[in-house]
Amino acid sequence: MKLLVIGSGGREHALVWKLAQSPHVTKMWCASGNAGIAQERLAKNSSPVECVSVGAENLPALLALAEKHKPDLTVVGPDNPLALGVVDLFQSKGFRIWGPNQRAAQFEASKAFSQDFMERHGIPTARAKTFSEPAAAKIFARELGGQCVVKADGLALGKGVLICRDLAASERAIDEILVSHTFGAAGARIVIQELLEGMEISLHALCDGRIAKLFPTSQDHKRALDGDAGLNTGGMGTYSPAPFLDEAQLAEVGRAILEPWARGCAAEGIEYRGLLYPGVMLTASGPKVIEFNARFGDPETQVYLPRLENDLVELLEASAAGTLGAHELKWKPGAAVCVVMASGGYPGNCKKGDVITGLAEADALPDTKVFHAGTARVGENIVTNGGRVLGVTSWAEDLRAARTAAYRAVEKIHFANAHFRRDIAAKALSS
Ligand code: AMP
């Protein structure tokens, strides 16, 4: 089978790495990939994964690539191409592609759509309202005592969520999005949610249009600095499983969210074939969905895929074909931890082009994989090429051992002004 993978981050490196292990795959391209993806080889025939410099949002060029190479399956990593309708476009030209279509991808592309859907179908969520007028929005923010989260409706590179703890902050946030248009068209509408307190976990479910199969729990670390201080980021590290729910509780939370979600999709004629990733807050009054994502999490993927025992090609094919019922997800016992190494200054502006050393030494450690995100090859060197640079991942019989192994690997890797959190999974070990 020939595969095309769309994307260039750590999530896509993890997807490529796992897909490359499948005996079904004889050739793989990645648009546009990164230096780590370009080093992967297929288990079947040692053929290298070929990175092609086509951006994930350039739909005409992606289609041209598919027409040239005729992949048997295309796998979409990031949210933007899904929101732009890459699945619908490929399907209209007869290509098999994995990911939700444009209508289904609205669960991530429009927070107002998601919020209304959750309310229509009784999915537990925060108290919330949608606005396009600042005056009405400020009245609602006042009703919430200013303790609220102001969210741009559309995709805003993960930056359109402003957490407010008082009235003045909420009014500033409303003006920033609706009056100053900081997030452009993505902020033409806002959703204001009550500020929830609790432990945040990531859920992942693979869906085939009818069935949703739940993964184990994981937890991301969104803030830049230790102790959950500093700015919100794309994610500084993850671990799985998260110990805040046991298996029975996870099944219960999954049911409370996924059953009404699936019923709602059926009632509204939404065929969701892809990965649904609800962000969930475990509050004193039960679990509440704060957002839906329509793709694998980054860096959640980096801790899930080393634990997944199934052939990922078979699972994604079944997800696209509507035949997931025939598959049981199997997970390695134990745990995995991913520590993100970022460039100094992230999530603000970062310098690029610093040489990274120690990659081979870290990768040679047992049960360890260094997933690349913002990296590039320049001659003999691999250099930094973005904010999040690497996702250093280890897996072991328990969380403590996985964490020790991941940090041991991190110690081997060096680049100028490297920044990483030292407390990934610490909350789980002290709970
Ligand atoms: P989102 O992109 O909607 O997941 O928001 C980004 C981050 O903001 C989440 O991962 C949470 O840490 C935080 N957040 C979002 N909504 C809420 C909420 N209603 N209450 C508390 N924190 C929230």
Side-chain angles (χ1 to χ4, degrees):
M1 253 181 103
K2 296 184 287 180
L3 254 56
L4 169 63
V5 177
I6 298 175
S8 59
R11 164 185 48 218
E12 287 75 25
H13 190 183
L15 285 167
V16 164
W17 171 79
K18 179 71 180 165
L19 292 166
Q21 292 167 27
S22 167
H24 300 295
V25 184
T26 53
K27 178 76 201 163
M28 202 189 306
W29 295 269
C30 186
S32 62
N34 59 38
I37 290 174
Q39 287 178 330
E40 294 298 335
R41 289 183 173 267
L42 305 184
K44 170 99 178 163
N45 56 15
S46 300
S47 149
V49 174
E50 211 178 299
C51 291
V52 191
S53 77
V54 169
E57 288 161 37
N58 189 346
L59 268 49
L62 289 170
L63 183 61
L65 194 61
E67 277 165 348
K68 180 170 168 202
H69 294 304
K70 311 252 179 316
D72 300 295
L73 182 69
T74 296
V75 174
V76 190
D79 48 357
N80 279 357
L82 296 170
L84 292 169
V86 72
V87 170
D88 313 62
L89 175 69
F90 271 47
Q91 284 174 343
S92 73
K93 303 289 179 187
F95 290 108
R96 284 170 71 220
I97 181 164
W98 176 81
N101 62 23
Q102 195 169 26
R103 181 151 182 250
Q106 283 184 97
F107 279 107
E108 177 159 10
S110 170
K111 290 189 189 284
F113 168 86
S114 257
Q115 196 67 41
D116 290 349
F117 183 95
M118 287 195 275
E119 281 160 26
R120 272 198 303 283
H121 297 291
I123 298 170
T125 181
R127 185 178 163 207
K129 281 189 179 166
T130 300
F131 300 93
S132 50
E133 294 299 327
K138 286 177 189 173
I139 292 171
F140 184 60
R142 199 166 308 134
E143 266 176 55
L144 296 174
Q147 303 257 331
C148 62
V149 183
V150 180
K151 305 184 176 188
D153 174 42
L155 297 177
L157 299 171
K159 293 184 179 159
V161 173
L162 306 174
I163 295 173
C164 310
R165 301 200 178 269
D166 58 45
L167 203 53
S170 67
E171 292 185 348
R172 271 198 309 276
I174 291 165
D175 285 341
E176 193 177 331
I177 305 182
L178 286 181
V179 180
S180 310
H181 304 295
T182 308
F183 303 109
R189 287 190 296 173
I190 54 173
V191 172
I192 301 184
Q193 287 181 336
E194 67 178 316
L195 182 68
L196 296 173
E197 301 290 345
M199 187 63 82
E200 192 179 339
I201 58 163
S202 302
L203 297 185
H204 275 53
L206 189 61
C207 307
D208 74 348
R210 278 179 316 122
I211 298 176
K213 296 236 172 192
L214 200 55
F215 286 17
T217 48
S218 66
Q219 190 175 47
D220 193 1
H221 297 65
K222 290 272 180 202
R223 301 298 191 95
L225 306 175
D226 285 8
D228 292 333
L231 295 172
N232 243 335
T233 69
M236 293 301 295
T238 37
Y239 64 93
S240 172
F244 313 108
L245 293 177
D246 62 25
E247 257 178 53
Q249 289 166 322
L250 170 63
E252 183 49 41
V253 170
R255 259 196 304 279
I257 293 167
L258 294 175
E259 283 183 6
W261 174 82
R263 270 199 306 275
C265 286
E268 298 195 14
I270 297 171
E271 278 218 341
Y272 195 101
R273 295 173 189 232
L275 199 289
L276 184 77
Y277 152 21
V280 176
M281 195 73 91
L282 303 174
T283 74
S285 52
K288 298 197 171 166
V289 176
I290 52 176
E291 62 157 356
F292 282 117
N293 300 289
R295 34 85 199 169
F296 273 100
D298 187 347
E300 284 86 344
T301 314
Q302 290 86 317
V303 288
Y304 279 134
L305 296 187
R307 296 191 58 210
L308 181 68
E309 290 186 332
N310 305 66
D311 182 316
L312 185 61
V313 175
E314 290 174 11
L315 288 185
L316 299 189
E317 281 197 296
S319 160
T323 56
L324 257 186
H327 296 261
E328 190 195 337
L329 302 190
K330 296 201 184 85
W331 303 94
K332 276 194 190 77
V337 173
C338 169
V339 179
V340 168
M341 296 183 77
S343 298
Y346 176 73
N349 290 336
C350 308
K351 192 169 157 264
K352 294 181 180 177
D354 288 317
V355 174
I356 309 170
T357 59
L359 288 167
E361 290 85 338
D363 255 333
L365 294 170
D367 296 334
T368 294
K369 176 73 190 171
V370 180
F371 293 115
H372 290 221
T375 66
R377 177 172 286 281
V378 175
E380 287 301 295
N381 291 323
I382 291 185
V383 302
T384 62
N385 193 37
R388 289 190 294 173
V389 176
L390 303 166
V392 182
T393 307
S394 294
W395 51 99
E397 67 281 5
D398 62 29
L399 199 55
R400 193 172 296 279
R403 179 171 193 264
T404 303
Y407 278 106
R408 192 172 297 140
V410 165
E411 277 169 24
K412 305 243 175 243
I413 300 173
H414 300 279
F415 53 90
N417 300 314
H419 164 65
F420 59 91
R421 279 181 60 162
R422 293 175 190 276
D423 65 346
I424 303 303
K427 247 186 257 167
L429 291 168
S430 62
S431 72

PDB file of all heavy atoms in Angstrom, residues 44-56:
ATOM      1  N   LYS A  44       8.568  -2.911   5.992  1.00  0.00           N
ATOM      2  CA  LYS A  44       8.357  -3.906   4.932  1.00  0.00           C
ATOM      3  C   LYS A  44       9.556  -4.038   3.991  1.00  0.00           C
ATOM      4  O   LYS A  44       9.958  -5.145   3.642  1.00  0.00           O
ATOM      5  CB  LYS A  44       7.115  -3.467   4.142  1.00  0.00           C
ATOM      6  CG  LYS A  44       6.853  -4.209   2.867  1.00  0.00           C
ATOM      7  CD  LYS A  44       5.830  -5.264   3.095  1.00  0.00           C
ATOM      8  CE  LYS A  44       5.500  -6.005   1.813  1.00  0.00           C
ATOM      9  NZ  LYS A  44       4.820  -7.255   2.115  1.00  0.00           N
ATOM     10  N   ASN A  45      10.146  -2.877   3.584  1.00  0.00           N
ATOM     11  CA  ASN A  45      11.175  -2.950   2.533  1.00  0.00           C
ATOM     12  C   ASN A  45      12.313  -1.956   2.720  1.00  0.00           C
ATOM     13  O   ASN A  45      13.092  -1.711   1.792  1.00  0.00           O
ATOM     14  CB  ASN A  45      10.525  -2.722   1.154  1.00  0.00           C
ATOM     15  CG  ASN A  45       9.765  -1.400   1.123  1.00  0.00           C
ATOM     16  OD1 ASN A  45       9.953  -0.564   2.008  1.00  0.00           O
ATOM     17  ND2 ASN A  45       8.935  -1.218   0.116  1.00  0.00           N
ATOM     18  N   SER A  46      12.381  -1.349   3.923  1.00  0.00           N
ATOM     19  CA  SER A  46      13.435  -0.369   4.255  1.00  0.00           C
ATOM     20  C   SER A  46      13.419   0.872   3.369  1.00  0.00           C
ATOM     21  O   SER A  46      14.369   1.656   3.382  1.00  0.00           O
ATOM     22  CB  SER A  46      14.830  -0.999   4.179  1.00  0.00           C
ATOM     23  OG  SER A  46      14.919  -2.038   5.073  1.00  0.00           O
ATOM     24  N   SER A  47      12.353   1.046   2.627  1.00  0.00           N
ATOM     25  CA  SER A  47      12.279   2.230   1.762  1.00  0.00           C
ATOM     26  C   SER A  47      12.144   3.487   2.637  1.00  0.00           C
ATOM     27  O   SER A  47      11.395   3.488   3.623  1.00  0.00           O
ATOM     28  CB  SER A  47      11.091   2.024   0.823  1.00  0.00           C
ATOM     29  OG  SER A  47      10.505   3.217   0.481  1.00  0.00           O
ATOM     30  N   PRO A  48      12.894   4.563   2.328  1.00  0.00           N
ATOM     31  CA  PRO A  48      12.793   5.771   3.164  1.00  0.00           C
ATOM     32  C   PRO A  48      11.470   6.500   2.946  1.00  0.00           C
ATOM     33  O   PRO A  48      10.898   6.445   1.851  1.00  0.00           O
ATOM     34  CB  PRO A  48      13.961   6.638   2.678  1.00  0.00           C
ATOM     35  CG  PRO A  48      14.322   6.122   1.336  1.00  0.00           C
ATOM     36  CD  PRO A  48      13.864   4.699   1.239  1.00  0.00           C
ATOM     37  N   VAL A  49      10.991   7.151   3.996  1.00  0.00           N
ATOM     38  CA  VAL A  49       9.802   8.008   3.849  1.00  0.00           C
ATOM     39  C   VAL A  49      10.261   9.272   3.123  1.00  0.00           C
ATOM     40  O   VAL A  49      11.254   9.884   3.489  1.00  0.00           O
ATOM     41  CB  VAL A  49       9.205   8.345   5.229  1.00  0.00           C
ATOM     42  CG1 VAL A  49       8.066   9.347   5.104  1.00  0.00           C
ATOM     43  CG2 VAL A  49       8.738   7.068   5.928  1.00  0.00           C
ATOM     44  N   GLU A  50       9.512   9.625   2.089  1.00  0.00           N
ATOM     45  CA  GLU A  50       9.933  10.753   1.255  1.00  0.00           C
ATOM     46  C   GLU A  50       9.174  12.020   1.659  1.00  0.00           C
ATOM     47  O   GLU A  50       7.941  12.029   1.609  1.00  0.00           O
ATOM     48  CB  GLU A  50       9.603  10.412  -0.200  1.00  0.00           C
ATOM     49  CG  GLU A  50      10.541  11.026  -1.202  1.00  0.00           C
ATOM     50  CD  GLU A  50      10.144  10.590  -2.616  1.00  0.00           C
ATOM     51  OE1 GLU A  50      10.170   9.369  -2.904  1.00  0.00           O
ATOM     52  OE2 GLU A  50       9.788  11.473  -3.405  1.00  0.00           O
ATOM     53  N   CYS A  51       9.905  13.046   2.094  1.00  0.00           N
ATOM     54  CA  CYS A  51       9.251  14.312   2.440  1.00  0.00           C
ATOM     55  C   CYS A  51       9.151  15.187   1.196  1.00  0.00           C
ATOM     56  O   CYS A  51      10.119  15.331   0.454  1.00  0.00           O
ATOM     57  CB  CYS A  51      10.034  15.048   3.524  1.00  0.00           C
ATOM     58  SG  CYS A  51       9.929  14.196   5.105  1.00  0.00           S
ATOM     59  N   VAL A  52       7.971  15.749   0.972  1.00  0.00           N
ATOM     60  CA  VAL A  52       7.722  16.572  -0.212  1.00  0.00           C
ATOM     61  C   VAL A  52       7.337  17.959   0.283  1.00  0.00           C
ATOM     62  O   VAL A  52       6.483  18.075   1.168  1.00  0.00           O
ATOM     63  CB  VAL A  52       6.545  16.001  -1.033  1.00  0.00           C
ATOM     64  CG1 VAL A  52       6.449  16.678  -2.374  1.00  0.00           C
ATOM     65  CG2 VAL A  52       6.671  14.500  -1.184  1.00  0.00           C
ATOM     66  N   SER A  53       7.957  19.003  -0.274  1.00  0.00           N
ATOM     67  CA  SER A  53       7.701  20.321   0.317  1.00  0.00           C
ATOM     68  C   SER A  53       6.400  20.940  -0.217  1.00  0.00           C
ATOM     69  O   SER A  53       6.394  21.877  -1.010  1.00  0.00           O
ATOM     70  CB  SER A  53       8.902  21.260   0.120  1.00  0.00           C
ATOM     71  OG  SER A  53       8.908  21.711  -1.191  1.00  0.00           O
ATOM     72  N   VAL A  54       5.304  20.361   0.271  1.00  0.00           N
ATOM     73  CA  VAL A  54       3.966  20.895  -0.028  1.00  0.00           C
ATOM     74  C   VAL A  54       3.308  21.152   1.325  1.00  0.00           C
ATOM     75  O   VAL A  54       3.232  20.252   2.163  1.00  0.00           O
ATOM     76  CB  VAL A  54       3.134  19.858  -0.823  1.00  0.00           C
ATOM     77  CG1 VAL A  54       1.679  20.297  -0.904  1.00  0.00           C
ATOM     78  CG2 VAL A  54       3.708  19.665  -2.214  1.00  0.00           C
ATOM     79  N   GLY A  55       2.859  22.388   1.536  1.00  0.00           N
ATOM     80  CA  GLY A  55       2.271  22.761   2.826  1.00  0.00           C
ATOM     81  C   GLY A  55       0.926  22.099   3.039  1.00  0.00           C
ATOM     82  O   GLY A  55       0.186  21.805   2.084  1.00  0.00           O
ATOM     83  N   ALA A  56       0.578  21.894   4.333  1.00  0.00           N
ATOM     84  CA  ALA A  56      -0.656  21.174   4.688  1.00  0.00           C
ATOM     85  C   ALA A  56      -1.915  21.944   4.310  1.00  0.00           C
ATOM     86  O   ALA A  56      -3.003  21.374   4.282  1.00  0.00           O
ATOM     87  CB  ALA A  56      -0.654  20.880   6.186  1.00  0.00           C
TER      88      ALA A  56
END
